[in-house]
Amino acid sequence: MNLKKSLLVITAVASLGLNAFAAAPSTYQVTGPVLALTDSIITVEKGKEKWEIARNADSKVAGDLKVGSKVTITYTMTASAISVKADKADKADKKTTASSSAAPAAGTVAKP
């Protein structure tokens, strides 16, 4: 009987751990008057800043959305492109490797 309970506890803990990795991204909000509105973008003024937020057919709208309406938009941030830059340590390694493999200077004898 203890073996069954142990397996049940292990299964429960494992499934909770997997759910943590599959967590949804954080959501954010911006509130302000609508300055511009298209099928793909809504522009909202927050303080003195203008926020352009993409929208699509799946964006849920409650109420009469029009320019001038005060809205609260809930959104998530999604990466559209990621570019990885070389670390400074990688660049230093390449320089060291290049200088150590260079040919000896003129007038010197290379040692075997």
Side-chain angles (χ1 to χ4, degrees):
M1 189 67 147
N2 282 339
L3 181 60
K4 288 183 181 180
K5 286 183 183 179
S6 296
L7 289 175
L8 181 61
V9 170
I10 290 170
T11 304
V13 170
S15 67
L16 289 175
L18 292 176
N19 288 339
F21 289 114
S26 298
T27 58
Y28 304 93
Q29 287 185 342
V30 61
T31 300
V34 176
L35 298 178
L37 184 63
T38 69
D39 290 339
S40 59
I41 295 177
I42 182 169
T43 305
V44 176
E45 186 174 36
K46 179 181 179 184
K48 294 182 179 181
E49 297 179 331
K50 295 178 181 174
W51 290 52
E52 283 188 351
I53 299 176
R55 69 186 199 126
N56 58 30
D58 295 333
S59 300
K60 298 175 187 172
V61 178
D64 185 22
L65 181 60
K66 59 186 176 185
V67 173
S69 299
K70 184 176 180 181
V71 296
T72 297
I73 300 172
T74 303
Y75 63 95
T76 59
M77 293 188 195
T78 304
S80 60
I82 300 171
S83 177
V84 179
K85 306 293 183 191
D87 290 339
K88 291 180 181 180
D90 290 344
K91 290 179 182 177
D93 289 343
K94 288 179 182 176
K95 287 181 182 178
T96 304
T97 305
S99 64
S100 65
S101 64
T108 60
V109 178
K111 295 182 183 178

